[in-house]
Amino acid sequence: MTAARLFLPLMLLATPAMIAAQGSSSMETPITYPETERGDVVEEQFGVAVADPYRWLENDVRVDENVRNWVTAQNAVTDAYLETLPGRDTIAERLTELWNYERVGVPVKRGNRYFYTRNDGLQNQSVLYMREGLDGEPQLLIDPNEWSEDDATAMAQWVPSPDGQFIAYGVQDGGTDWRTIRVLNVETGETLSDTVEWAKFTSITWAADNVGFFYSRFPEPDADSEFQSLNMNHAVYFHAINTAQTEDRLIHATPDRPNLNHFAQVTDDKRWLLIYSSEGTDDRYELTLGDLSEYTVPTRTIISGFEHNWELAGSDGNQLYFVTNSDAPRERIVRMDVSGETPTITEIVPENEATLEGASLVGDRLIANYLVDARNEARVFERDGTQVATVDLPGIGSTDGFGGELGDPETFFSFTSFATPTAIYRYDSATGEVSPFAVPEVPFNPEDYVVAQRFFTSRDGTRVPMFIVHRADLDHAETRPTLLYGYGGFNISQTPGFNPGRLQWMEMGGVFALATLRGGGEYGAAWHDAGRLQNKQNVFDDMIGAGEYLIAEGITSADQLAVQGRSNGGLLVGAVVNQRPDLFAVGLPAVGVMDMLRFDRFTAGRYWVDDYGYPNREPDFRTLLAYSPYHNIPETGDFPAIMVTTADTDDRVVPGHSFKYTAALQHADLGDRPHLIRIETRAGHGSGRPTSQLIAEYADLWAFTARWTGLEVPEAE
């Protein structure tokens, strides 16, 4: 591999005259984009000369003034254009109303204490509360809204100690994946001096008697590469309460295998420490068992190799219950006896046609959450595998929760659907009784919306499901502006869920479609495998097939269809727009992986080789180059309107992906429709974002999408 010298550019800031010109942008008045210098980087890979003229845009905005100026100029042009769009303020006002409903998280029980998050509606960050007893008065414990002036500092995770005396919680600043772990004394309200830095991709799991917790961290990075360098040498540590981090004990590390990640989990009875080790994003783990009856926590390997998923569902002494796809592509439940040197495994609940998402031991029964055609169904089993009940859910939608412990039949779960905001329910595994814990009141009628599940045929004949949602009173004789969303990767299932932004799109008369593409986990390992590595093109074919189906069925037309996706879904949008620009009126790629030849060079990108392959291996390189959005933008053509969204401090998918893709779009001659980028500041890949920031982004997206799909937006009163 050879590289030409990188030309370090100075780019032009947008002038006031340039911004004013954008104020009247239309198809008759093309946008004048900021000038982006093109470097002369060309690398030869496997005999292919690969140009990368915008390599300099990979640099961190925090340390590179040229990149910082480029971001400022792009935002100026985008903001000026958005100011011209009708209805943006009215959209923002209605979004604010729709977002203003109570949101409660699934409670966690410790003794007689119930811990849960709550947002009163428009709080920028959710707040942690505790009740003494199920019907006790809520007590405010932690309010992240007091942590920063811009409310971009979030509580990313929190875990109560075994008796509920302490809360260990992770602080996330500006959307970063790095976590600082702090500890609250629940009884006194005091935040302890304990400060654990450089935690990332970590669990927090307590030892017995509140003595401390296990967590995972990376070595402290160099200051100038904190948010871009590759993360290596993950390790599990134990932190004792009321001690400095320098005294933390190293529990598990693999310096001979620095690429591995390690996650810790203590069993409910605090007898065992489980350490899951993985190589990438796939659910393929080695399992190490630590003996917590000894101070040194001696460990032994109980599952070697990286072949299958192993997810603890509960424990009873030496009997550990797992969800696994070992000999079961759609997962099954097994019991593992770890009393001997070699564990013995017994099947409890065999694999069936539904996909098992997770299970937990609650009281004396197992609750298993299944996916049936991308909709959840919760089934209850005795510990011998006999099914005794199905949880009575409020409707067709998605569930989460069902955490609990042996001996206590009480658990909680959430339920949501496209027009049903998340509600929390209490469930008794012994009696089967379901009762509401927190059901929000909302400023709309969920009955005004209808959901249908359709199946379409993809290019290779595969039958692919898609949810289609819209107002019940729409005239079916007319095509409608339609928002098509997809993801298709990393074994992540796309299921029904509520989003105030999507609801407003439908409230204005638009149709929302969610395609459950290959690459996800909706139908088990085979469905995932069919959409990754050399099969990745299947995902794009599925999304194109979804768009073609929506048009063929008279639901929408090519000049009314918008395509949207985030992260891996942003890659999806970039790829399908390149391959079928005629099919879409609008493309909305968010925080996307756009340079498929360099994704593995930054932060967590090296993990993604499980789905994408290795750019430095020729077969993978040729597959990646064939669909990489950045490398496949044509020099000329007629492209849809495109609004790229990213954050300047995203350290999951570094923003250089979106920066380079946008620069290439703007350089090409792709018609008069706008190709803009909206760059959020003090934000990351998505988690921890303030409510006000989300509302502003959706208002911009919908005003832009409405302009180019013909959706009528409400007028200001």
Side-chain angles (χ1 to χ4, degrees):
M1 182 181 297
T2 60
R5 180 177 177 273
L6 173 63
F7 175 70
L8 296 178
L10 293 173
M11 52 78 56
L12 297 178
L13 290 173
T15 65
M18 184 187 300
I19 295 172
Q22 269 90 63
S24 58
S25 288
S26 68
M27 292 186 68
E28 292 74 29
T29 308
I31 295 174
T32 303
Y33 302 109
E35 181 180 341
T36 304
E37 292 286 349
R38 290 169 62 85
D40 59 358
V41 175
V42 178
E43 295 177 339
E44 184 175 315
Q45 301 180 53
F46 305 107
V48 179
V50 180
D52 190 1
Y54 303 112
R55 176 73 61 85
W56 65 277
L57 284 172
E58 293 177 351
N59 295 340
D60 191 343
V61 69
R62 303 169 186 83
V63 298
D64 190 309
E65 183 179 3
N66 292 332
V67 178
R68 191 159 55 248
N69 289 342
W70 186 89
V71 167
T72 301
Q74 290 288 341
N75 272 342
V77 169
T78 298
D79 291 346
Y81 177 80
L82 291 171
E83 286 290 339
T84 71
L85 298 179
R88 186 168 66 137
D89 292 342
T90 307
I91 292 172
E93 290 174 7
R94 181 54 179 159
L95 276 170
T96 301
E97 295 172 354
L98 290 173
W99 232 287
N100 192 13
Y101 68 95
E102 182 186 46
R103 299 184 291 282
V104 173
V106 176
V108 175
K109 183 180 180 182
R110 294 290 188 269
N112 196 41
R113 290 179 169 175
Y114 297 80
F115 300 87
Y116 59 94
T117 57
R118 178 182 179 273
N119 191 306
D120 64 15
L122 296 178
Q123 288 175 292
N124 276 323
Q125 301 291 342
S126 293
V127 177
L128 184 63
Y129 288 88
M130 184 267 290
R131 294 183 189 178
E132 294 277 6
L134 186 63
D135 299 316
E137 286 296 315
Q139 302 176 40
L140 189 154
L141 298 180
I142 300 174
D143 185 357
N145 297 287
E146 300 176 350
W147 290 350
S148 64
E149 291 185 4
D150 62 0
D151 289 338
T153 304
M155 181 173 59
Q157 60 198 120
W158 53 273
V159 182
S161 62
D163 66 357
Q165 181 182 351
F166 297 103
I167 296 279
Y169 60 95
V171 179
Q172 175 189 28
D173 185 58
T176 179
D177 280 334
W178 291 111
R179 304 288 185 263
T180 298
I181 301 175
R182 303 299 309 274
V183 180
L184 175 77
N185 186 320
V186 173
E187 295 177 359
T188 67
E190 174 194 8
T191 300
L192 306 186
S193 61
D194 304 51
T195 303
V196 173
E197 303 279 7
W198 308 115
K200 192 175 189 179
F201 310 139
T202 182
S203 57
I204 300 172
T205 185
W206 285 85
D209 302 323
N210 300 340
V211 295
F213 55 84
F214 299 89
Y215 69 97
S216 305
R217 61 162 291 183
F218 290 101
E220 181 177 351
D222 294 335
D224 61 352
S225 60
E226 177 180 340
F227 299 101
Q228 286 203 322
S229 60
L230 286 173
N231 302 136
M232 310 289 281
N233 290 302
H234 212 218
V236 175
Y237 285 81
F238 177 76
H239 176 77
I241 294 300
N242 291 314
T243 66
Q245 186 176 7
T246 53
E247 299 178 36
D248 289 0
R249 287 189 288 134
L250 176 63
I251 301 299
H252 186 76
T254 52
D256 57 326
R257 294 184 290 173
N259 288 339
L260 296 186
N261 270 13
H262 308 289
F263 306 92
Q265 184 177 13
V266 175
T267 56
D268 292 338
D269 58 9
K270 312 304 175 188
R271 174 68 180 85
W272 301 103
L273 173 70
L274 271 172
I275 298 172
Y276 303 80
S277 299
S278 63
E279 294 179 308
T281 54
D282 272 5
D283 294 328
R284 295 183 290 114
Y285 302 108
E286 281 190 347
L287 288 187
T288 301
L289 190 68
D291 187 348
L292 292 178
S293 67
E294 299 186 33
Y295 175 81
T296 57
V297 194
T299 61
R300 58 189 170 101
T301 301
I302 56 174
I303 296 292
S304 60
F306 300 93
E307 298 180 4
H308 302 294
N309 179 40
W310 296 91
E311 178 185 337
L312 186 68
S315 65
D316 185 1
N318 294 326
Q319 308 296 314
L320 309 183
Y321 293 82
F322 286 95
V323 172
T324 181
N325 59 8
S326 175
D327 298 322
R330 296 198 182 193
E331 310 277 353
R332 60 180 179 144
I333 301 175
V334 300
R335 183 177 62 241
M336 182 187 296
D337 187 334
V338 297
S339 58
E341 277 300 310
T342 302
T344 58
I345 297 174
T346 304
E347 181 173 87
I348 302 299
V349 179
E351 177 188 30
N352 63 55
E353 292 184 0
T355 301
L356 178 59
E357 283 201 310
S360 55
L361 185 58
V362 179
D364 199 38
R365 287 176 168 171
L366 288 158
I367 303 177
N369 200 18
Y370 285 90
L371 266 182
V372 182
D373 285 334
R375 301 174 292 184
N376 280 126
E377 180 178 297
R379 304 170 186 173
V380 184
F381 298 88
E382 300 287 8
R383 283 207 273 171
D384 64 3
T386 303
Q387 184 174 347
V388 293
T390 299
V391 178
D392 186 16
L393 300 179
I396 295 173
S398 303
T399 61
D400 197 10
F402 293 112
E405 296 183 358
L406 182 69
D408 185 350
E410 185 178 44
T411 186
F412 296 86
F413 68 92
S414 64
F415 177 85
T416 183
S417 192
F418 293 109
T420 305
T422 299
I424 308 300
Y425 295 88
R426 179 180 179 271
Y427 180 71
D428 188 314
S429 67
T431 66
E433 180 184 1
V434 176
S435 56
F437 178 82
V439 179
E441 297 182 2
V442 292
F444 66 92
N445 183 3
E447 300 300 320
D448 289 343
Y449 298 86
V450 293
V451 181
Q453 188 177 39
R454 305 277 188 90
F455 291 82
F456 64 90
T457 301
S458 191
R459 181 178 181 179
D460 64 355
T462 299
R463 188 168 176 260
V464 180
M466 176 167 55
F467 291 101
I468 300 174
V469 197
H470 54 80
R471 277 193 350 229
D473 64 347
L474 290 188
D475 184 351
H476 294 287
E478 297 180 1
T479 61
R480 301 293 306 174
T482 297
L483 180 68
L484 172 61
Y485 188 93
Y487 186 79
F490 296 95
N491 201 35
I492 295 173
S493 300
Q494 298 296 299
T495 59
F498 181 73
N499 178 309
R502 291 174 180 171
L503 187 98
Q504 196 207 14
W505 171 263
M506 295 186 290
E507 187 177 77
M508 292 188 296
V511 174
F512 175 71
L514 176 66
T516 32
L517 314 171
R518 282 176 285 184
E522 293 85 357
Y523 294 102
W527 193 253
H528 177 210
D529 290 343
R532 63 173 177 155
L533 301 174
Q534 304 300 320
N535 296 322
K536 189 66 176 177
Q537 182 60 41
N538 286 338
V539 182
F540 313 137
D541 290 342
D542 289 355
M543 195 65 162
I544 290 168
E548 291 175 335
Y549 176 86
L550 292 168
I551 293 170
E553 291 294 304
I555 295 168
T556 192
S557 62
D559 59 358
Q560 295 176 305
L561 180 59
V563 59
Q564 184 185 35
R566 291 183 53 83
S567 194
N568 175 73
L571 155 66
L572 168 69
V573 173
V576 299
V577 165
N578 282 346
Q579 294 178 17
R580 287 293 306 277
D582 61 302
L583 191 60
F584 307 104
V586 175
L588 302 174
V591 293
V593 187
M594 299 308 206
D595 184 343
M596 300 310 298
L597 303 185
R598 290 179 58 79
F599 69 85
D600 60 338
R601 310 289 184 95
F602 303 97
T603 61
R606 66 178 179 84
Y607 303 129
W608 310 335
V609 295
D610 283 348
D611 250 52
Y612 298 149
Y614 292 82
N616 62 352
R617 298 177 182 175
E618 184 171 0
D620 292 343
F621 163 79
R622 296 194 181 278
T623 298
L624 293 165
L625 182 60
Y627 68 77
S628 178
Y630 173 55
H631 297 95
N632 286 280
I633 295 170
E635 293 183 4
T636 61
D638 187 15
F639 258 40
I642 295 175
M643 171 101 77
V644 181
T645 51
T646 189
D648 63 357
T649 55
D650 185 348
D651 59 356
R652 179 80 58 83
V653 178
V654 293
H657 283 279
S658 293
F659 294 174
K660 292 164 62 175
Y661 170 74
T662 300
L665 280 176
Q666 293 176 352
H667 174 75
D669 181 9
L670 298 175
D672 292 331
R673 283 178 279 197
H675 302 140
L676 302 170
I677 184 168
R678 184 188 188 279
I679 306 164
E680 194 66 73
T681 57
R682 285 271 296 155
H685 197 57
S687 66
R689 294 184 65 185
T691 300
S692 58
Q693 201 178 87
L694 292 170
I695 290 172
E697 179 173 289
Y698 273 105
D700 290 348
L701 288 173
W702 291 170
F704 180 85
T705 306
R707 163 68 181 85
W708 294 101
T709 60
L711 182 70
E712 293 185 13
V713 297
E715 297 181 0
E717 296 181 358

